[in-house]
Amino acid sequence: MDTGESVRITLRSIRAHKLRSALTVIGVVIGIASVITFATFGASVEAEIVGDIETSNAGNIYVFGTPADDDDFDRTLQPVFTEYDIQQLERIAGVEAVLPRGIVQTQSIQHGDQTLARQQVTATRPASFTQNVLVEGRSFEADEEAVVVNERMAGSFSENLTAGERLTMTMPDGSERNVTVVGVVNGTRGEVPVSEFARQPRVYVPIDPFYDSVVESPSAGVRQRAYPQVTLVVDPRAIPETQSAIQTYLSGESDARSLSADDTELVARSGNDFVEEISDVIERITRFVTGIAVIALVVGAIGIANVMLVSVTERTREIGIMKAVGARNRDVMQVFLVEAALLGTLGSLLGVPLGLLVGYGATRYAEVTFSLAPLWMALAVGVGVLVGVVAGLYPAWRAARVDPIDALRYE
């Protein structure tokens, strides 16, 4: 029996049981759509985050300490990079700017009659803000009683903050400092890579007069300001060489090495390093969640196997007639395998657009750019067809073993 004849018999059987076939196909459709939805959403989130990081942090190298115990977050924020270290880092070939960052503790920030508690305040240099990150206003100047806020912080109040408005910062000792908002930004040059939709409300202040964390410099022998993290803006064409030189200094005679615990590693990470790590995490999550969605495909396979077994029982007399007129066991098996494969293929073809539609809706809700996952789409369709074939193997084998004499007697 040729394949065309098997397809005609299969289509006739499907038309004869439209509702049953439709319900069977729905199981595969849901499985395929689930896989494509999760894969597409994961690819979209990854593309959004990686795109943000690559665009805004291409020439940055981030210097910080990482303790052996990953849970010891407080030690990560220990101020160990002294002004002496800053000066030495500025002398390294390829370094265009050094932007130290420190944390200023506050109890609250007040604007009008609205108060926000425990907002993160970061002390940094005016060079952290270039013209392309300014949404409104300007950067603060050194020694100025002024702040710059990011867009998330500006929108945290009932009335959006704008340049020229006043804030009241309550310090840990209860004293208050009145400051002027001089600018609103959408990021900084010294910020550790993070996607736009993951940014937290931030307030930035000049190092002097707000930041006062000091330690005694082992190299200079005097008390100096020290910072928990430093960002270096470097020539993008010389990142590997510059990163290596920075790492060599940190591991050698730097103040940070002397002030850090023995099990704390001082690292210099480029924006590309963060991109690779973040991409790896997102891919693992996508694979895990998509793997769960594959369970729906297993349910669809069980549905196809069940329907095919019922079909074998219903068509026992038909099988007997086919064999009586010369059909071989492999011909009978082919008919049922084609029907199972056709159900799986139909479910796959319907599941792809549905999965893309739901995935697109999810990306609109999350406000990320929609991106396709071609590999997952092809894999999902292939698995859908394979599910149909595998689910039809036993019913087809069972149909092929039907005795033609008993089949003709079957009522």
Side-chain angles (χ1 to χ4, degrees):
M1 183 185 297
D2 61 18
T3 305
E5 181 64 24
S6 298
V7 171
R8 284 192 290 274
I9 295 174
T10 296
L11 292 176
R12 187 170 64 243
S13 174
I14 292 175
R15 283 196 297 268
H17 305 90
K18 294 184 180 69
L19 180 60
R20 186 175 70 188
S21 298
L23 293 175
T24 304
V25 168
I26 286 175
V28 180
V29 169
I30 293 175
I32 296 294
S34 299
V35 171
I36 291 180
T37 295
F38 288 122
T40 301
F41 184 71
S44 299
V45 171
E46 180 179 356
E48 180 79 8
I49 293 176
V50 171
D52 284 348
I53 293 173
E54 289 181 336
T55 300
S56 59
N57 301 278
N60 287 358
I61 293 179
Y62 306 89
V63 174
F64 51 90
T66 58
D69 183 0
D70 293 336
D71 296 329
D72 196 353
F73 186 69
D74 289 339
R75 281 170 58 191
T76 303
L77 299 178
Q78 288 295 315
V80 295
F81 300 99
T82 64
E83 291 287 353
Y84 174 84
D85 285 335
I86 303 301
Q87 294 169 6
Q88 299 304 309
L89 291 171
E90 287 175 333
R91 295 191 178 105
I92 293 177
V95 174
E96 298 176 354
V98 178
L99 307 173
R101 295 167 67 86
I103 297 174
V104 177
Q105 301 294 337
T106 62
Q107 290 186 17
S108 63
I109 297 177
Q110 183 178 351
H111 173 58
D113 59 355
Q114 189 173 0
T115 301
L116 301 178
R118 298 185 180 279
Q119 294 299 309
Q120 181 166 335
V121 178
T122 302
T124 188
R125 290 179 172 178
S128 292
F129 310 103
T130 55
Q131 196 62 39
N132 63 324
V133 302
L134 282 168
V135 176
E136 179 186 353
R138 60 175 176 83
S139 173
F140 49 66
E141 298 177 1
D143 305 331
E144 186 179 11
E145 288 278 345
V147 302
V148 170
V149 300
N150 67 0
E151 291 180 294
R152 287 293 175 93
M153 184 64 189
S156 296
F157 295 96
S158 54
E159 295 184 6
N160 282 3
L161 284 176
T162 58
E165 298 195 46
R166 301 281 288 177
L167 294 177
T168 300
M169 299 170 56
T170 303
M171 312 311 289
D173 60 3
S175 62
E176 295 183 349
R177 301 182 74 158
N178 294 314
V179 295
T180 302
V181 177
V182 296
V184 179
V185 297
N186 59 14
T188 74
R189 297 172 76 192
E191 201 165 42
V192 172
V194 66
S195 174
E196 180 62 34
F197 68 85
R199 294 189 192 278
Q200 298 299 314
R202 295 282 177 86
V203 177
Y204 304 96
V205 298
I207 292 172
D208 191 13
F210 289 91
Y211 188 69
D212 55 8
S213 292
V214 296
V215 298
E216 183 170 341
S217 167
S219 301
V222 296
R223 294 182 67 78
Q224 298 179 337
R225 283 194 178 95
Y227 309 91
Q229 189 244 320
V230 178
T231 300
L232 296 94
V233 181
V234 304
D235 183 352
R237 296 167 298 180
I239 286 180
E241 299 85 354
T242 308
Q243 185 176 3
S244 177
I246 293 169
Q247 188 65 66
T248 299
Y249 171 73
L250 294 175
S251 303
E253 300 299 322
S254 66
D255 281 355
R257 181 66 278 164
S258 300
L259 295 171
S260 300
D262 292 338
D263 62 346
T264 297
E265 181 184 5
L266 300 177
V267 297
R269 299 278 183 86
S270 68
N272 289 335
D273 294 333
F274 283 102
V275 166
E276 292 174 2
E277 291 179 6
I278 292 172
S279 295
D280 184 57
V281 171
I282 295 176
E283 286 176 3
R284 289 184 182 182
I285 295 174
T286 300
R287 286 197 295 268
F288 174 73
V289 176
T290 305
I292 296 176
V294 171
I295 295 175
L297 272 177
V298 175
V299 175
I302 294 173
I304 291 177
N306 181 54
V307 167
M308 296 307 300
L309 285 171
V310 172
S311 181
V312 169
T313 302
E314 288 181 345
R315 298 163 65 184
T316 299
R317 187 173 179 80
E318 179 184 338
I319 294 170
I321 294 173
M322 289 173 62
K323 287 192 171 184
V325 297
R328 295 162 295 183
N329 285 350
R330 67 179 183 183
D331 295 328
V332 176
M333 191 171 184
Q334 177 179 299
V335 169
F336 284 89
L337 274 180
V338 168
E339 182 173 343
L342 194 59
L343 291 174
T345 302
L346 185 59
S348 299
L349 295 177
L350 294 176
V352 169
L354 178 61
L356 291 175
L357 182 63
V358 177
Y360 178 78
T363 58
R364 294 301 88 198
Y365 178 78
E367 298 181 354
V368 298
T369 304
F370 179 69
S371 297
L372 295 175
L375 179 61
W376 279 104
M377 291 169 59
L379 187 62
V381 172
V383 170
V385 175
L386 183 63
V387 158
V389 173
V390 172
L393 278 175
Y394 175 70
W397 174 77
R398 182 172 171 178
R401 292 181 68 250
V402 171
D403 184 88
I405 296 177
D406 292 338
L408 290 171
R409 294 173 178 171
Y410 184 82
E411 295 294 338

